[in-house]
């Protein structure tokens, strides 16, 4: 700022000096010209008075002694030149048509300024009529006047340089003097403890500046905190957030939006400032953004990378003008899967419950209507009703058990050390009568250390695995249960040499109510929830399950449970 003020003052000083010099030169030139003309007039008047006292020869001698820059001409009344100090009179043309001669003949005096045909320069002429009607004319060229004026230019130039130098020094001093209060004010603002202003007139200015400075600092801190808060929220949102300007460029985008819309991980700066189409080019996304930029809210769904996304776009309005669009992206894949799972579960439960209830209702109706003739039929129908009721109870218990496992979160405080060796022995012992009935042998091998878990759930898991291996075995078959201690987990293996599972059915055997052979399952009373319960128990304990099976050769299921919860 000081330099700017210095240059402005210096420029003003330079303009002032130049204008003053030009004006001085013009006035000097004008005065010099007027002085030169007046000197010609005075000299002419003085010489004309001595004409009556001298002879013509004497008079011409006087005229010839005039200064070199002065020309004298003596002309008769009819315009004939009698004498000229710079040329031969006989060779000169008639001067009767000259303006100054005409004026002198009329009024006694005349003057004119013109370019002389003999002198080839602008000349001032002054003529006076003598007593015998002759005309005395003196002239002086303006070139001499210009030379006089030009001779004064060096002096004026020196004065200009001196004045310009003084202006330079004064402008610097004046700029420093003008800026001193401002600099002191800035210094005082930097020092919180300084309250004495250098000038009383600046006291309100200081107070106002301090107040505004404090307000700006407070607002800046608040804005910084809000910006950091918004940044933390946006970066940690599970939902995708995308801000698009009215020029279709990305203003801001969070990591979730990049993963959802671009299908990869990248830095936000890779997209900011570029067209939003480099993030996602789907038609649904494009139509939503265009609608928002047009001032309307719109939402749409689209599938990409095996996921289902829901896009909500709304306009950003400021002072009734749309400045851009706010786009929210939600991953609804799990919601869609859960909805489909609920629909399938409801359909399957309805079907599974309807079958035994229909049988029970049918048998009961026949007995009610007296269609049973003998006690033997009554016992048969009663046995069927009892069997279907037990199947119905087993199904409901499995559904309740599965729901409890799904709804109960994995919590470390409910896990206790579980001895799988004792647990497996207890399961084998309880299933021995069932296995003996269908002529299947149970064998338990290996050992494992205790692991953190929920005892009832793990017992249910082992029981369902062994029960399935017995149910889907053949007479004379074997079920092998083994435990193995691995580096970071325990492996439980249940293997049989039964009927096996077709390859196309293996990916679905852990689904609810899925049965490989529905007719066989109906005969043995399966609910279709056993392996689904196994899967959820394993997931509850943070483990994994593997299945290998060959049709007609048997099935092997391996469960891996972590040693640490």
């Amino acid at each position: 700022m000081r330099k700017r003020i210095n240059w402005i003052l210096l420029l003003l000083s330079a303009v002032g000096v130049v204008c003053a010099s030009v004006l001085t030169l013009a006035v000097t030139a004008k005065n010099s010209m007027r002085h030169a003309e007046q000197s010609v007039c005075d000299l002419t008047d003085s010489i004309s008075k001595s004409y009556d006292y001298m002879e013509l020869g004497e008079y011409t001698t006087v005229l010839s002694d005039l200064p070199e820059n002065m020309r004298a001409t003596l002309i008769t009344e009819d315009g004939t030149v009698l004498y000229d100090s710079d040329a031969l009179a006989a060779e000169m043309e008639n001067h009767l048509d000259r303006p100054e001669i005409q004026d002198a003949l009329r009024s006694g005096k005349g003057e004119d300024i013109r370019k002389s045909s003999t002198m080839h320069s602008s000349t001032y002429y002054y003529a006076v009529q003598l007593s015998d009607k002759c005309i005395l004319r003196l002239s002086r060229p303006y070139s001499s006047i210009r030379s006089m004026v030009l001779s004064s230019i060096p002096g004026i130039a020196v004065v200009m340089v001196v004045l310009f130098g003084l202006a330079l020094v004064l402008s610097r001093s004046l700029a420093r003097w003008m800026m001193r209060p401002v600099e002191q004010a800035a210094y005082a603002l930097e020092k919180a403890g300084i309250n004495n202003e250098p000038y009383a007139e600046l006291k309100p200015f200081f107070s106002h500046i301090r107040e505004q400075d404090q307000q700006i600092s407070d607002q800046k801190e608040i804005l910084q905190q809000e910006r950091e808060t918004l940044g933390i929220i946006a970066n940690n949102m599970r939902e995708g957030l995308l801000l698009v300007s009215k020029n279709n460029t990305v203003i801001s985008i969070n990591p979730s939006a990049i993963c959802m819309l671009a299908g990869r991980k990248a830095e936000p700066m890779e997209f900011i400032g570029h067209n939003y189409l480099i993030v996602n080019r789907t038609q649904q996304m494009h139509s939503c953004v265009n609608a928002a930029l047009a001032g309307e809210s719109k939402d749409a769904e689209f599938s990409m990378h095996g996921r289902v996304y829901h896009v909500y776009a709304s306009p950003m309005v400021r002072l009734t003008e749309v400045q851009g669009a706010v786009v929210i992206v939600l991953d609804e894949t799990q919601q869609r899967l859960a909805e489909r799972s609920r629909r399938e579960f409801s359909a399957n439960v309805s079907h599974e419950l309807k079958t035994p209830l229909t049988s029970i209702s049918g048998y009961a109706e026949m007995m009610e209507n007296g269609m049973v003739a003998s006690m033997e039929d009554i016992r048969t129908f009663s046995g069927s009703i009892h069997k279907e009721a037990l199947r119905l109870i087993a199904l409901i218990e499995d559904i309740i058990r599965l729901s409890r496992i799904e709804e109960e979160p994995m919590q470390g405080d409910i896990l206790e050390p579980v001895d799988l060796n004792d647990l497996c022995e207890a399961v084998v012992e309880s299933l021995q009568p069932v296995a003996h009935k269908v002529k299947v042998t149970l064998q338990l091998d290996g050992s494992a250390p205790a692991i953190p878990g929920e005892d009832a759930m793990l017992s249910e898991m082992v029981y369902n695995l062994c029960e399935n291996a017995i149910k889907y075995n053949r007479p004379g078959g074997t079920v092998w249960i083994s435990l193995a201690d691995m580096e970071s987990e325990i492996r439980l293996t249940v293997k049989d040499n039964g009927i096996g599972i077709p390859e196309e059915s293996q990916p679905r055997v852990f689904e609810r109510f899925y049965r490989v052979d529905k007719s066989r399952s109906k005969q043995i009373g399966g609910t279709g929830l056993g392996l689904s319960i196994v899967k959820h128990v394993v997931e509850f304990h943070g483990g994994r399950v593997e299945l290998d099976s060959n049709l007609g050769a048997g099935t092997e299921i391996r469960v891996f449970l972590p040693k640490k919860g």
Side-chain angles (χ1 to χ4, degrees):
M1 184 175 179
R2 177 186 292 179
K3 289 184 178 180
R4 186 175 181 181
I5 294 176
N6 187 25
W7 279 108
I8 291 175
L9 293 175
L10 184 61
L11 180 61
L12 292 176
S13 301
V15 171
V17 170
V18 171
C19 292
S21 301
V22 171
L23 182 62
T24 301
L25 186 62
V27 171
T28 302
K30 186 68 176 178
N31 291 336
S32 298
M33 293 172 65
R34 189 69 260 172
H35 177 73
E37 293 172 0
Q38 188 62 42
S39 64
V40 172
C41 295
D42 293 343
L43 183 59
T44 304
D45 292 339
S46 176
I47 295 176
S48 65
K49 292 178 181 179
S50 62
Y51 179 75
D52 296 333
Y53 303 104
M54 296 182 184
E55 296 292 335
L56 182 60
E58 294 177 345
Y59 196 71
T60 57
T61 301
V62 173
L63 295 177
S64 63
D65 291 337
L66 293 175
E68 293 182 0
N69 61 353
M70 194 76 71
R71 179 182 180 183
T73 307
L74 189 61
I75 305 167
T76 63
E77 186 179 5
D78 59 1
T80 303
V81 178
L82 295 177
Y83 173 78
D84 190 89
S85 61
D86 291 345
L88 295 175
E91 297 179 356
M92 296 181 69
E93 60 185 4
N94 190 284
H95 280 42
L96 185 62
D97 60 343
R98 302 297 193 269
E100 69 276 8
I101 302 300
Q102 293 292 329
D103 291 341
L105 291 175
R106 285 193 300 269
S107 60
K109 295 180 180 181
E111 62 180 354
D112 189 28
I113 300 174
R114 67 178 179 274
K115 187 174 183 179
S116 174
S117 59
T118 57
M119 302 284 293
H120 301 292
S121 62
S122 295
T123 307
Y124 174 72
Y125 296 93
Y126 183 74
V128 178
Q129 188 176 34
L130 302 176
S131 58
D132 59 356
K133 304 297 184 181
C134 288
I135 303 299
L136 174 63
R137 187 187 69 178
L138 296 184
S139 62
R140 185 175 180 179
Y142 271 117
S143 59
S144 61
I145 299 175
R146 290 195 197 95
S147 63
M148 180 182 65
V149 174
L150 292 176
S151 63
S152 63
I153 289 179
I156 295 175
V158 172
V159 173
M160 287 180 62
V161 171
V162 173
L163 291 177
F164 188 77
L166 291 174
L168 179 62
V169 175
L170 290 175
S171 65
R172 289 183 176 179
S173 300
L174 185 60
R176 191 181 299 110
W177 176 76
M178 293 175 64
M179 287 300 298
R180 186 179 295 113
V182 178
E183 292 176 350
Q184 291 177 350
Y187 179 77
L189 289 175
E190 291 179 358
K191 299 293 184 179
I194 296 180
N195 297 316
N196 297 324
E197 290 76 14
Y199 297 94
E201 296 81 2
L202 292 177
K203 187 173 182 179
F205 173 75
F206 272 82
S207 301
H208 188 64
I209 289 296
R210 285 196 187 96
E211 183 179 350
Q212 287 191 339
D213 181 67
Q214 185 62 40
Q215 291 178 355
I216 292 173
S217 299
D218 295 341
Q219 292 178 358
K220 184 178 179 181
E221 185 177 354
I222 293 173
L223 290 175
Q224 184 67 24
Q225 291 177 354
E226 291 180 351
R227 182 177 180 181
E228 292 177 356
T229 302
L230 291 175
I232 293 172
I233 293 173
N235 291 332
N236 291 278
M237 285 174 57
R238 294 179 59 185
E239 298 79 8
L241 176 62
L242 172 65
L243 302 182
V244 181
S245 71
K246 60 182 178 180
N247 298 323
N248 294 327
T249 58
V250 178
I251 300 175
S252 178
I253 184 170
N254 68 344
S256 296
I258 296 174
C259 292
M260 294 181 189
L261 299 177
R264 59 187 177 90
K265 291 184 178 181
E267 291 296 327
M269 293 306 299
E270 182 179 337
F271 304 96
I272 293 176
H274 299 282
N275 193 288
Y276 74 91
L277 289 176
I278 71 170
V279 183
N280 186 275
R281 295 180 179 272
T282 59
Q283 180 61 36
Q284 294 85 346
M285 177 74 174
H286 183 61
S287 62
C288 288
V289 173
N290 283 344
L293 293 177
E296 299 179 359
S297 298
K298 187 175 181 181
D299 66 289
E301 288 185 3
F302 67 92
S303 299
M304 189 174 66
H305 311 302
R307 312 289 293 181
V308 179
Y309 299 112
H310 201 140
V311 178
Y312 299 86
S314 301
M316 289 191 299
V317 181
R318 181 181 181 185
L319 300 178
T320 69
E321 183 179 354
V322 177
Q323 300 293 328
V326 180
V327 181
I328 301 294
V329 186
L330 303 180
D331 187 348
E332 297 189 347
T333 306
Q334 295 299 327
Q335 182 178 346
R336 295 292 182 271
L337 292 176
E339 290 176 356
R340 187 180 69 179
S341 178
R342 281 195 295 270
R343 289 194 299 268
E344 293 178 351
F345 182 77
S346 299
N348 289 330
V349 167
S350 300
H351 176 74
E352 293 295 334
L353 292 176
K354 183 179 180 181
T355 301
L357 287 174
T358 301
S359 299
I360 293 173
S361 177
Y363 289 131
E365 184 179 3
M366 291 175 66
M367 294 174 67
E368 181 184 14
N369 295 329
M371 299 177 64
V372 182
S374 63
M375 290 301 296
E376 185 65 26
D377 291 337
I378 293 175
R379 284 193 295 269
T380 302
F381 286 178
S382 299
S384 298
I385 292 173
H386 183 256
K387 179 180 178 182
E388 294 297 334
L390 291 177
R391 180 183 173 192
L392 187 60
I393 292 172
L395 178 61
I396 294 174
E397 287 179 349
D398 283 348
I399 292 173
I400 295 173
R401 191 178 298 111
L402 182 59
S403 299
R404 182 175 63 84
I405 295 172
E406 287 182 338
E407 294 176 0
E408 190 169 1
M410 177 67 173
Q411 297 179 359
D413 56 351
I414 68 171
L415 299 181
E416 298 178 353
V418 177
D419 189 338
L420 291 179
N421 301 290
D422 295 340
L423 188 147
C424 290
E425 288 178 0
V427 170
V428 169
E429 183 178 353
S430 65
L431 287 173
Q432 280 292 356
V434 179
H436 180 72
K437 185 176 180 180
V438 294
K439 299 179 181 180
V440 173
T441 304
L442 297 178
Q443 293 184 7
L444 176 61
D445 298 319
S447 63
I451 63 169
E454 210 279 326
D455 186 85
M457 289 186 182
L458 292 175
S459 179
E460 184 76 19
M461 176 193 72
V462 177
Y463 187 91
N464 285 344
L465 289 174
C466 295
E467 186 182 34
N468 271 15
I470 295 171
K471 286 180 179 179
Y472 298 98
N473 213 319
R474 56 171 58 91
T478 305
V479 176
W480 294 272
I481 304 103
S482 63
L483 291 170
D485 184 7
M486 304 180 69
E487 182 177 352
S488 60
E489 54 191 1
I490 299 300
R491 183 183 67 197
L492 167 66
T493 304
V494 178
K495 180 180 179 182
D496 64 73
N497 54 356
I499 62 176
I501 303 172
E503 184 176 356
E504 64 273 10
S505 299
Q506 292 179 18
R508 301 191 60 189
V509 294
F510 291 99
E511 295 180 7
R512 298 182 183 93
F513 302 108
Y514 183 79
R515 296 186 179 93
V516 177
D517 187 350
K518 295 186 179 181
S519 61
R520 181 178 176 88
S521 297
K522 187 175 182 180
Q523 293 175 0
I524 62 177
T527 64
L529 293 175
L531 290 182
S532 181
I533 293 175
V534 169
K535 177 186 175 183
H536 283 80
V537 171
V538 172
E539 291 179 349
F540 177 86
H541 288 82
R544 55 192 173 92
V545 59
E546 297 177 354
L547 180 144
D548 287 328
S549 182
N550 293 310
L551 190 61
T555 301
E556 179 180 337
I557 297 179
R558 295 179 297 274
V559 174
F560 299 87
L561 299 173
K563 290 182 179 181
K564 296 182 179 180

